[in-house]
């Protein structure tokens, strides 16, 4: 096996020294583990990798996520990045094998492994659970990226026994890979991810499942709305069976409430002309508006932007020209969403801008020949 990381990586302009020192051992060279490795290697941190799959390990090493672990490694930090159903077992093994190291994990459920380890009587003084809120629909070392965690929350679950120096080590890990550390209890974390991650996965999968038997004519009408609401349905069933099973309580609570809401809307639509039926439907849509408004915007801010929709020909260089001309107009693109029109040789670029820049962006682009399909001022 070729070791591609024994020598320091070439430092790029703007290199920032890492907060971590010493060796970081990563157990599990899949998407999250290998991505952490790539991000730390970019800062010249010594990263050693191990994985139950020799092929996965070789791939992660070949891509530069770290070097193969050796018996004489003495890591200061161990990161457990394995499937939820073996997380507790691996944490226990790593605590026993490396009595001087702090051990954290990146599992998406925090309470179940913590309770399992407590029940076994494992000394958890050096264990700090954590979870980066980042990922991709595709898994494995081949999909790993050094920038996966940039700007993303990284939950850190401390308890009364956690030493300040150990906590600082896990927070340094989050900061070194570009994430934003956020402290929560395991219970708070699991309730939170049930709402913002686990239930959305179930809803997206159930909705996408309705497409499996749909007529081809219906599917040809699919636009960005259905693509947005089903994007995460491409996730791996094997992993999600474990995640949902480990966090079943909070997930079921939300699903039951959601089922009741769906039942109310379905009941109203069975007799849409009945007294109060339209109000029930309108309130459901309005409540959704309120929920969307509460989601943090760019950089975690609650600041809101206006949007304009520009028709873009499906030819080479058009998006680059659009961005270039927006730059000439002094308009910063805060966000972008692309929608392709079925059967048409153009797409729709929905661009978010500062409210004060909306009018100038529309008029300036129109003067340059761009077709504006709509805006939030319409």
């Amino acid at each position: 096996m070729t070791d591609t990381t024994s020598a320091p990586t070439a430092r790029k302009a703007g290199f920032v020294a890492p907060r971590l020192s010493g060796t970081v051992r990563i157990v599990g060279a899949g998407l999250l583990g290998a991505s952490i490795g790539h991000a730390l290697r970019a800062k010249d941190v010594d990263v050693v990798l191990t994985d139950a799959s020799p092929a996965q390990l070789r791939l992660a090493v070949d891509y530069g996520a770290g070097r193969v672990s050796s018996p004489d490694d003495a890591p200061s930090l161990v990161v457990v990045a394995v499937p939820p159903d073996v997380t507790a077992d691996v944490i226990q093994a790593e605590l026993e094998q490396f009595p001087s190291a702090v051990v954290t994990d990146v599992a998406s459920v925090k309470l179940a492994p913590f309770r399992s380890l407590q029940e076994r009587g494992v000394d958890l003084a050096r264990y700090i659970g954590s979870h980066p809120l980042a990922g991709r629909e595709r898994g494995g070392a081949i999909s790993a990226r050094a920038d996966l965690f940039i700007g993303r929350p990284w939950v850190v679950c401390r308890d009364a026994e956690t030493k300040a120096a150990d906590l600082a080590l896990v927070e340094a890990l989050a900061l070194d890979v570009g994430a934003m550390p956020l402290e929560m209890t395991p219970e708070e974390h699991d309730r939170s991810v049930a709402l913002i991650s686990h239930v959305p996965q179930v809803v997206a999968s159930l909705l996408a499942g309705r497409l499996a038997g749909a007529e081809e004519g219906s599917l040809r009408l699919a636009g960005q709305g259905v693509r947005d609401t089903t994007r995460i349905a491409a996730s791996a069933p094997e992993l999600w069976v474990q995640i949902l099973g480990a966090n079943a309580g909070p997930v079921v609570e939300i699903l039951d409430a959601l089922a009741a809401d769906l039942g109310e809307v379905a009941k109203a639509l069975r007799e849409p002309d009945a007294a109060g039926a339209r109000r029930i439907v309108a309130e459901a849509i309005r409540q959704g508006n309120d929920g969307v408004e509460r989601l943090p915007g760019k950089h975690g801010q609650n600041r809101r932007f206006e949007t304009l929709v520009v028709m873009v020909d499906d030819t080479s260089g058009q998006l680059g020209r659009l961005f270039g001309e927006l730059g000439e107009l002094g308009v910063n693109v805060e966000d972008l969403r692309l929608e392709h029109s079925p059967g048409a040789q153009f797409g729709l670029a929905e661009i978010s801008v500062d409210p004060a820049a909306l009018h100038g962006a529309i008029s300036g682009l129109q003067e340059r020949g761009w077709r504006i399909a709509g805006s939030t001022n319409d």
Side-chain angles (χ1 to χ4, degrees), residues 40-128:
L40 294 180
R41 287 299 304 137
K43 288 181 171 289
D44 280 351
V45 175
D46 181 34
V47 176
V48 299
L49 301 172
T50 183
D51 195 286
S53 167
Q56 183 89 297
L57 177 59
R58 284 194 296 268
L59 190 61
V61 171
D62 285 349
Y63 272 102
R67 61 180 174 86
V68 179
S69 63
S70 63
D72 58 349
D73 288 329
S76 58
L77 177 66
V78 176
V79 182
V80 175
V82 298
D85 61 349
V86 294
T87 294
D89 294 338
V90 176
I91 290 170
Q92 181 176 357
E94 295 298 312
L95 286 169
E96 294 171 354
Q97 184 176 354
F98 300 101
S100 298
V102 173
V103 177
T104 188
D105 72 293
V106 294
S108 58
V109 177
K110 299 269 65 89
L111 191 57
F114 180 72
R115 283 180 173 170
S116 177
L117 291 164
Q118 278 187 320
E119 291 168 359
R120 302 177 194 182
V122 177
D123 182 0
L124 298 178
R126 292 180 290 110
Y127 166 66
I128 303 174

